[in-house]
């Protein structure tokens, strides 16, 4: 059966990997929708290639090439935040693939579940902010939420080994350790944005690359796993595993450990998320354990990389703290990329914003966005007062 996919964030690093997988399996997947924020030119090329029924550009900079492509393909064009919400409820979609970056990912996720659409999700921001409520809504409606990212995706697959949730003892979340694993503090102070975005294993967008280098990404993933799988923080163990071969594991009540391994290639978790619950045969390179020679593991160094500790603490404090963590970190990463702050200032700034926050319960997307805005403004305020040079 051909699956009809609506892809939001198709112009991003991950979005392009998703399209690459689809090109490999044209007999299995059909693109019915494509969406991006502002990259009108790239989106126009994608529309020309896939001729989707629905097209979204959330910023209103629709170029003539996109307009021409939309007319030629006979697509319906959505725009603005309203469009981001509306497109998730269109007909004829089997799976909504949310690979956009940023907290606004909560809009299509929420609408998709409301309209009983299965979702493959990489947008960790939305799960970090509202994961518990999203999970409850999805479970209540019988909607499948399938993680795309390699680590949550691996744990999702390891869960298949459970006959009963009570058999789950703990989760192992692996981290590559990023490009600066071996640097001391004096070296970390001076790393550049260019160095921070060149990840040793994965090719990713700028924010997630910097987050991987600070280990904030792993902290966000710990919160994501807690909310997505409803597992206590104490039962989530983070391990630095530089080879990135074991993507996730679960410890079972009889002392067994079930792990998911593969070569570090995003195409593999993407294909599983798109084809779930089926597994599609591929000719992709198999894992050769003899070639690998060694797999190493070490505890993360939270003295050099305090973002991991800060994120887990924010997760444990709960309420609106994870939303503040996410928004403040996004702004701090932007400031670092613009060379306004140093790499080591990122966790300091985020921790300062968290300390100023009066937590509230988040019950709706609107409330989540209010907190998100507060955290962004507060981050700029503290930066202007204390850190701007
Ligand atoms: N890259 C990976 O391997 C990877 C792995 C795991 C998880 N993730 C997660 O996947 C998400 C995307 O990561 P990425 O590395 O692909 O980032 P990226 O390269 O920066 O791409 C972001 C994508 O999201 C789109 N976007 C941003 N805001 C949007 C909005 N308001 N409306 C519609 N589209 C919007 C962008 O559109 P424009 O191009 O028009 O700006 C672009 O297509 C993040 O949540 C990240 O944490 C990524």
């Amino acid at each position: 059966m051909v699956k009809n996919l609506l892809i939001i964030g198709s112009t991003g690093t991950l979005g392009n990997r998703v399209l690459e997988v689809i090109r490999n399996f044209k007999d299995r997947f059909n693109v019915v929708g494509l969406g991006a924020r502002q990259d009108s030119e790239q989106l126009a090329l994608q529309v020309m290639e896939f001729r989707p029924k629905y097209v979204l550009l959330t910023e209103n900079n629709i170029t003539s090439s996109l307009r021409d492509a939309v007319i030629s393909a006979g697509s319906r064009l959505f725009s603005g935040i309203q469009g981001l919400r509306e497109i998730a409820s269109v007909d004829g979609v089997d799976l909504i693939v949310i690979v956009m970056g940023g907290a606004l990912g909560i809009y299509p996720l929420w609408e998709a579940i409301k309209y009983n659409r299965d979702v493959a999700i990489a947008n960790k921001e939305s799960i970090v902010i509202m994961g518990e409520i999203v999970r409850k809504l999805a479970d209540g409606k019988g909607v499948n939420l399938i993680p795309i990212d390699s680590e949550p995706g691996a744990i999702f697959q390891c869960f298949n080994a459970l006959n009963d949730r009570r058999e789950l003892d703990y989760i192992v979340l692996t981290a590559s350790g990023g490009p600066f694993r071996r640097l001391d503090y004096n070296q970390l102070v001076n790393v550049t944005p260019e160095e921070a975005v060149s990840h040793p294993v994965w090719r990713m967008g700028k924010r997630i690359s910097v987050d991987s280098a600070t280990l904030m990404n792993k902290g966000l993933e710990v919160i994501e796993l807690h909310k997505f799988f409803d597992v206590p923080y104490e039962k989530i163990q983070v391990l630095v595993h530089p080879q990135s071969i074991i993507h996730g594991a679960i410890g079972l009540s009889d002392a067994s450990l079930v792990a998911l391994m593969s070569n570090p290639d995003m195409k593999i978790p993407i294909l599983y998320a798109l084809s779930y619950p089926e597994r599609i045969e591929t000719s992709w390179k198999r894992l050769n354990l003899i070639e690998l020679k060694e797999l190493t593991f070490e505890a993360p160094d939270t003295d050099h990389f305090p973002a991991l500790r800060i994120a887990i603490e924010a997760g444990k404090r709960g309420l609106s703290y994870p939303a503040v963590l996410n928004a403040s970190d996004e702004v701090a990463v932007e400031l670092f990329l613009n060379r306004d702050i140093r790499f080591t200032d990122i966790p300091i700034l985020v921790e300062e914003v968290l300390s100023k926050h009066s937590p509230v319960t988040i019950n709706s997307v609107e409330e989540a966005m209010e907190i998100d805005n507060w955290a962004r403004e507060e981050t700029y305020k503290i930066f202007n007062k204390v850190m701007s040079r």
Side-chain angles (χ1 to χ4, degrees):
M1 195 190 89
V2 176
K3 222 180 229 184
N4 291 316
L5 309 177
L6 167 69
I7 303 150
I8 305 179
S10 59
T11 53
T13 317
L14 193 58
N16 273 288
R17 299 307 308 274
V18 169
L19 294 180
E20 204 181 313
V21 169
I22 293 169
R23 283 187 195 100
N24 275 278
F25 296 96
K26 282 191 177 143
D27 54 332
R28 305 301 300 263
F29 305 115
N30 177 39
V31 175
V32 292
L34 290 170
R37 177 181 48 189
Q38 46 77 35
D39 193 345
S40 194
E41 291 300 309
Q42 194 189 163
L43 190 59
L45 293 173
Q46 294 179 348
V47 172
M48 293 297 278
E49 178 183 352
F50 291 98
R51 306 185 72 78
K53 271 163 89 174
Y54 309 105
V55 176
L56 160 80
L57 194 73
T58 49
E59 288 191 4
N60 279 324
N61 59 328
I62 298 163
T63 53
S64 54
S65 41
L66 180 60
R67 200 166 290 285
D68 291 348
V70 162
I71 292 169
S72 149
S75 321
R76 178 173 159 204
L77 185 62
F78 294 77
S79 64
I81 296 297
Q82 194 53 25
L84 188 60
R85 301 182 94 136
E86 281 172 9
I87 199 167
S89 65
V90 295
D91 288 330
V93 178
D94 300 312
L95 183 71
I96 301 197
V97 183
I98 305 181
V99 281
M100 62 178 276
L104 295 181
I106 193 70
Y107 283 123
L109 175 60
W110 192 255
E111 294 299 307
I113 300 172
K114 244 173 60 186
Y115 286 92
N116 296 302
R117 305 280 191 273
D118 286 349
V119 179
I121 182 140
N123 179 275
K124 68 188 66 174
E125 295 89 338
S126 52
I127 303 294
V128 164
I129 298 170
M130 284 186 73
E132 318 87 320
I133 314 176
V134 160
R135 177 87 269 166
K136 213 179 274 172
L137 186 68
D139 288 350
K141 287 181 157 281
V143 164
N144 284 313
L145 281 185
I146 310 128
I148 299 179
D149 195 355
S150 59
E151 292 86 357
I155 288 157
F156 182 79
Q157 293 187 54
C158 289
F159 267 56
N160 289 335
L162 296 173
N163 297 307
D164 186 301
R165 266 302 291 258
R166 283 170 299 186
E167 292 173 357
L168 178 73
D169 193 4
Y170 61 99
I171 286 183
V172 178
L173 174 63
T174 52
S176 71
F180 307 138
R181 192 164 53 93
R182 295 278 179 239
L183 299 193
D184 63 29
Y185 186 80
N186 291 334
Q187 292 170 305
L188 282 176
V189 169
N190 294 314
V191 301
T192 64
E194 291 73 20
E195 289 166 332
V197 297
S198 52
H199 195 274
V201 183
W202 304 103
R203 189 158 36 95
M204 304 180 291
K206 284 185 181 165
R207 180 191 173 189
I208 184 172
S209 297
V210 176
D211 280 349
S212 296
T214 58
L215 290 195
M216 180 62 86
N217 183 50
K218 225 24 74 176
L220 291 169
E221 275 175 19
V222 170
I223 302 174
E224 188 184 2
L225 292 183
H226 164 78
K227 297 192 175 195
F228 199 96
F229 296 106
D230 193 19
V231 172
Y233 283 103
E234 293 66 31
K235 288 187 173 257
I236 304 173
Q237 178 188 14
V238 178
L239 280 185
V240 173
H241 167 45
Q243 297 83 12
S244 298
I245 295 295
I246 294 186
H247 305 295
I250 59 171
L252 306 183
S253 51
D254 63 356
S256 318
L257 186 77
V258 175
L260 188 109
M261 302 167 76
S262 75
N263 287 316
D265 179 348
M266 273 310 290
K267 290 205 305 289
I268 302 170
I270 290 171
L271 179 62
Y272 184 75
L274 299 187
S275 61
Y276 175 85
E278 240 190 285
R279 200 178 284 279
I280 294 180
E281 188 182 336
T282 77
S283 56
W284 296 335
K285 189 170 183 278
R286 268 46 180 172
L287 186 60
N288 183 327
L289 293 173
I290 294 176
E291 267 175 23
L292 268 180
K293 292 196 178 69
E294 66 170 10
L295 295 178
T296 59
F297 305 92
E298 56 194 73
D301 177 352
T302 48
D303 291 335
H304 280 87
F305 300 99
L308 177 60
R309 170 188 55 76
I310 294 166
I312 295 174
E313 278 168 14
K316 286 182 177 170
R317 289 159 92 182
L319 298 168
S320 44
Y321 279 112
V324 171
L325 173 88
N326 171 65
S328 165
D329 173 67
E330 190 175 318
V331 174
V333 168
E334 199 61 48
L335 289 168
F336 165 68
L337 290 171
N338 291 334
R339 294 183 164 72
D340 291 323
I341 63 173
R342 294 169 303 186
F343 181 76
T344 44
D345 291 332
I346 298 173
I348 297 173
L349 189 50
V350 172
E351 196 164 33
E352 188 60 25
V353 177
L354 284 163
S355 75
K356 298 263 182 298
H357 182 53
S358 308
V360 293
T361 310
I362 294 178
N363 293 309
S364 67
V365 174
E366 289 69 27
E367 285 172 7
M369 287 302 132
E370 256 176 54
I371 296 294
D372 185 87
N373 285 333
W374 175 86
R376 280 166 204 278
E377 281 169 19
E378 196 61 30
T379 313
Y380 282 119
K381 227 189 267 173
I382 295 172
F383 160 70
N384 285 323
K385 208 157 107 192
V386 185
M387 288 185 170
S388 62
R389 298 175 201 144

